[in-house]
Amino acid sequence: MHRTLALLAIVAACGKTDRDHATPATAPAAAPTAVLARATQADLARDIADADRLGTWREVQQRWHGQTVRWTVTHRHLLCRSADDCNVAAFPIQRPAQQGWMPALQFAPGQFDALARRCGSQDPCEVTIEGTLSQLEVSPELPTSVQLSNVRILPPPTPRTQTDTSPPRQGLRPFPEHRSPCWSEAPGRGSWWTSMKLGAMSWPHHTGDSMTGMNVSFVDQLCAASSESQHLEFKEAKSSFDKGDLRDYCVALANEGGGFLLLGVSDTVIGGARAVVGTQAFRKPIELEHFVLQTCRFRIDVGEVSHPHGRVLVFSIPGRPKGIAYESNGRYLMRAGSSLVAMSPDRLKQIFAEDAPHWGEELVRERIQAQDVVDLFDIQRFFELLKFPYPTTQEGVIERLRQKRLVRHHHGTYDITRLGALLLAKRLEDFPEIARRAARVVVYQGSTKLQTRIDQVGQRGYAAGFQLLVNFIMTQMPRREVVESSLRREETLVPEIVIRELVANALVHQELSIGGTSPLVEIYDDRIEISNPGTPIVDANRFIDGYQSRNEHMAELMRSFGICEEKGSGIERVITAAEESHLSAPDIRVGCERTHVIVFGLASSIARSSGSTAST
């Protein structure tokens, strides 16, 4: 159940190098050669980061498998429903540090009850556990999978006191060491944002009313971020900054899951980083905490850093509670690139529904046998997509499905989730509740809807049948003859890479809570239209740099299957492929509860371009 929460979205792209497509390391039979002196989750995260850089995946697995580890983790009732189905967060469940793996726990006798007594009604609950790292799967292509066995609940650690001046335990360094002032080389794979994938970013540690870690080095690390995001904002504010604007940014960042606002830093990147320019705004920062608390009803922390190049104010803004959106003067604000915009009704609806179970987590089959699961799912295709060898036992098959949260174990029987059926069903008609979600392809005669030539509804799950769907669309695509170097060849109306990326996006980003509708592909003689239920979470003009997934679990699984990516490069790939084929850029239109992407063929693209030129 790793990365289940909405705040745990995975940032990874398709199109890896040959090294990235290496077969995942499998658990070694031998015990580790030596007991590790340091075996915290941060140490494991650091080793995984090194493996990503050096390709030492198998060495990491051999070093860690079988080790006895003692970790402080976060327990959530949603993630740990029973002794047979329990995951914990290895890193704090909060943003901006928003990603991480979630170990599965197998308890020593009586220890699940000890966990329940320890946490009681507290949710989330921080506990220290000790267990054997019995399963570790690491690879460049798939999310890290961790399982601890013989887990025991340990007494709580001695709390840090306000007089303790030692730094908090560090995980991965956000950046390689670089010079102060703020100027530095642009960060690479080891940058802060990449490190967040491992959930080990070292955010300032709250102690009483102060924030340790809020220092020159930390400001420099933030300055070196390659771009602003939903969680990071820079303002020069050399002389002043409006309190109303401060309130708006605090609300928007909180609604995005939390982040940092820095005053006294240029928002222009030069030489790989931003310059500290200093600010004279808000000479009494402590008053701002009270101002935001009174006007926004949540608490922020303000740090004043004496940087060599000027005074910097750092506002640390917490994420909103689950199911709640903050407002400023009646506006529910969010980020859209570097701007603040009002949330769409669709986004607000999604936030207010967060306390309810996600659509994909609901069950479509309950209390069935393992053989029934195998019969209903395209298991062969599942393992082919993961590039994993087919397990030798039925138990191995079911365990892999359970790890992906597509089935649940229930006292010797199994439950199938909606998402599991939607992705892997051999026949969607076997699941009447979701059969209406099947992708539909309609082919028209001419450039209007007057005459339908083909109306085909998909039969298989999205992942199991994705390549078949793409192949069918390509066979129905209008073609034209091209002559190059005296040789004739056929060219489709739209390149396959464009179809593949747009169809994958339509499947992943649809609003599943809207009933009676599904992703739709419409093929005309001069264009192709691909649409999905729901309006975008991110403004259509920010699709490239403002990625946010509506269906986080589906997006993660589809990425692991090699079908889609998760950080916005898909739409950039579509635009690049269209330009290389001399087509106009995709036309993105947001209608009533539906998002449309239209790609015109060459003749229509030329006509549209000529029309635009004439009008100017």
Side-chain angles (χ1 to χ4, degrees):
M1 286 185 67
H2 49 280
R3 307 180 201 185
T4 57
L5 302 180
L7 14 147
L8 305 174
I10 308 292
V11 181
C14 299
K16 301 280 186 176
T17 62
D18 290 340
R19 174 181 68 80
D20 287 345
H21 287 289
T23 301
T26 55
T33 55
V35 176
L36 296 177
R38 293 185 56 82
T40 68
Q41 56 265 55
D43 297 313
L44 176 56
R46 186 180 298 108
D47 278 0
I48 292 173
D50 290 341
D52 192 40
R53 179 170 53 88
L54 303 173
T56 54
W57 299 102
R58 190 167 299 278
E59 289 81 353
V60 170
Q61 193 139 28
Q62 291 173 343
R63 183 161 56 251
W64 281 87
H65 184 265
Q67 293 284 351
T68 298
V69 298
R70 178 176 295 190
W71 291 355
T72 298
V73 297
T74 302
H75 166 268
R76 293 294 300 264
H77 293 304
L78 177 67
L79 304 178
C80 187
R81 301 174 184 269
S82 68
D84 295 327
D85 186 11
C86 182
N87 294 74
V88 291
F91 299 99
I93 302 180
Q94 60 183 22
R95 287 185 175 175
Q98 58 184 1
Q99 282 84 25
W101 14 271
M102 291 194 172
L105 304 187
Q106 293 182 344
F107 293 92
Q111 291 301 296
F112 179 76
D113 293 336
L115 174 64
R117 289 192 299 271
R118 170 69 57 78
C119 291
S121 60
Q122 183 181 354
D123 190 26
C125 170
E126 189 175 273
V127 294
T128 301
I129 62 174
E130 184 175 80
T132 301
L133 209 162
S134 56
Q135 178 178 306
L136 174 63
E137 294 180 2
V138 291
S139 81
E141 188 66 22
L142 297 174
T144 298
S145 177
V146 180
Q147 179 172 290
L148 303 180
S149 61
N150 197 33
V151 171
R152 297 185 301 112
I153 309 302
L154 300 182
T158 302
R160 182 188 297 271
T161 65
Q162 291 195 21
T163 57
D164 183 359
T165 58
S166 60
R169 183 175 63 186
Q170 299 293 306
L172 288 177
R173 291 197 64 81
F175 283 114
E177 290 293 343
H178 61 268
R179 301 179 301 277
S180 180
C182 223
W183 307 107
S184 69
E185 295 181 358
R189 289 187 62 126
S191 71
W192 167 36
W193 299 108
T194 302
S195 299
M196 290 205 314
K197 296 178 190 176
L198 304 173
M201 177 63 190
S202 301
W203 300 108
H205 179 77
H206 294 258
T207 305
D209 292 328
S210 64
M211 296 180 66
T212 62
M214 192 74 77
N215 51 30
V216 172
S217 176
F218 182 74
V219 169
D220 285 347
Q221 291 163 7
L222 294 180
C223 286
S226 58
S227 65
E228 292 180 332
S229 71
Q230 283 92 342
H231 311 293
L232 189 59
E233 177 70 35
F234 300 96
K235 295 294 180 184
E236 287 191 353
K238 291 182 179 180
S239 58
S240 63
F241 193 71
D242 184 74
K243 269 191 174 182
D245 291 342
L246 172 65
R247 179 188 60 235
D248 289 350
Y249 274 103
C250 288
V251 165
L253 288 168
N255 283 336
E256 296 290 358
F260 293 95
L261 168 65
L262 279 72
L263 302 186
V265 178
S266 170
D267 61 0
T268 302
V269 178
I270 302 176
R274 293 166 178 78
V276 171
V277 298
T279 180
Q280 298 301 314
F282 306 127
R283 301 308 300 182
K284 296 181 179 179
I286 192 66
E287 296 179 355
L288 298 177
E289 297 183 10
H290 179 71
F291 166 75
V292 173
L293 182 62
Q294 290 295 109
T295 58
C296 303
R297 304 304 183 195
F298 62 85
R299 180 180 179 273
I300 65 170
D301 285 288
V302 184
E304 188 172 18
V305 178
S306 298
H307 194 278
H309 288 256
R311 173 176 174 264
V312 177
L313 288 181
V314 183
F315 297 82
S316 176
I317 300 150
R320 60 176 178 80
K322 187 176 181 180
I324 293 176
Y326 291 128
E327 54 87 18
S328 176
N329 286 338
R331 295 184 303 155
Y332 294 96
L333 297 173
M334 66 178 186
R335 299 292 303 278
S338 59
S339 303
L340 303 184
V341 298
M343 287 185 175
S344 65
D346 189 55
R347 177 59 179 148
L348 280 173
K349 176 183 175 182
Q350 184 186 38
I351 290 175
F352 296 148
E354 284 175 346
D355 283 332
H358 190 274
W359 182 92
E361 295 175 355
E362 297 290 331
L363 303 180
V364 289
R365 288 290 182 93
E366 299 182 55
R367 315 297 190 266
I368 64 176
Q369 300 302 312
Q371 185 59 48
D372 297 327
V373 176
V374 173
D375 291 340
L376 290 166
F377 279 179
D378 190 341
I379 301 298
Q380 183 67 44
R381 186 58 179 156
F382 173 63
F383 284 96
E384 288 175 355
L385 291 170
L386 289 177
K387 297 182 174 61
F388 278 6
Y390 198 98
T392 56
T393 65
Q394 190 178 80
E395 290 77 10
V397 171
I398 297 297
E399 177 60 22
R400 180 66 64 179
L401 291 170
R402 194 188 69 80
Q403 289 175 2
K404 297 296 183 183
R405 295 165 38 227
L406 301 175
V407 302
R408 298 176 187 166
H409 182 263
H410 185 85
H411 301 299
T413 62
Y414 297 92
D415 303 330
I416 294 179
T417 66
R418 284 175 173 172
L419 183 58
L422 189 63
L423 294 183
L424 296 179
K426 289 180 181 177
R427 296 174 301 276
L428 284 171
E429 63 186 20
D430 291 336
F431 303 93
E433 185 178 339
I434 65 168
R436 187 65 180 81
R437 298 285 173 184
R440 180 182 170 205
V441 180
V442 181
V443 183
Y444 299 103
Q445 188 74 42
S447 59
T448 69
K449 296 180 185 287
L450 293 178
Q451 187 174 351
T452 300
R453 188 161 57 86
I454 296 174
D455 190 340
Q456 181 70 41
V457 178
Q459 303 298 316
R460 305 174 73 85
Y462 290 170
F466 180 77
Q467 192 56 53
L468 294 175
L469 174 61
V470 173
N471 291 345
F472 178 76
I473 294 171
M474 296 307 297
T475 60
Q476 302 303 318
M477 192 84 68
R479 299 173 183 274
R480 67 187 183 94
E481 193 175 71
V482 178
V483 178
E484 289 184 353
S485 302
S486 301
L487 298 177
R488 298 178 182 271
R489 63 178 178 85
E490 277 194 337
E491 201 173 73
T492 57
L493 180 73
V494 175
E496 181 175 345
I497 182 63
V498 173
I499 298 301
R500 180 182 178 86
E501 295 295 338
L502 292 180
V503 170
N505 275 306
L507 298 177
V508 170
H509 295 298
Q510 64 177 300
E511 176 53 77
L512 294 168
S513 65
I514 300 176
T517 185
S518 66
L520 174 64
V521 179
E522 298 175 285
I523 302 174
Y524 300 85
D525 285 354
D526 61 343
R527 69 190 185 279
I528 182 167
E529 299 186 13
I530 300 174
S531 63
N532 60 268
T535 56
I537 296 176
V538 177
D539 184 89
N541 294 320
R542 311 297 307 186
F543 273 8
I544 293 179
D545 59 356
Y547 181 87
Q548 186 174 355
S549 175
R550 170 181 275 116
N551 304 304
E552 306 244 353
H553 189 196
M554 184 196 292
E556 165 57 18
L557 289 170
M558 295 286 267
R559 185 208 62 81
S560 70
F561 295 150
I563 291 174
C564 74
E565 46 66 54
E566 278 200 277
K567 65 174 184 180
S569 64
I571 191 67
E572 187 172 8
R573 201 153 38 235
V574 167
I575 293 172
T576 300
E579 289 177 346
E580 290 175 350
S581 298
H582 308 292
L583 306 179
S584 57
D587 184 3
I588 301 172
R589 301 178 184 179
V590 179
C592 179
E593 297 290 343
R594 200 162 186 90
T595 303
H596 301 257
V597 180
I598 306 172
V599 183
F600 291 89
L602 181 60
S604 296
S605 295
I606 294 173
R608 285 164 56 85
S609 177
S610 300
S612 299
T613 303
S615 64
T616 56

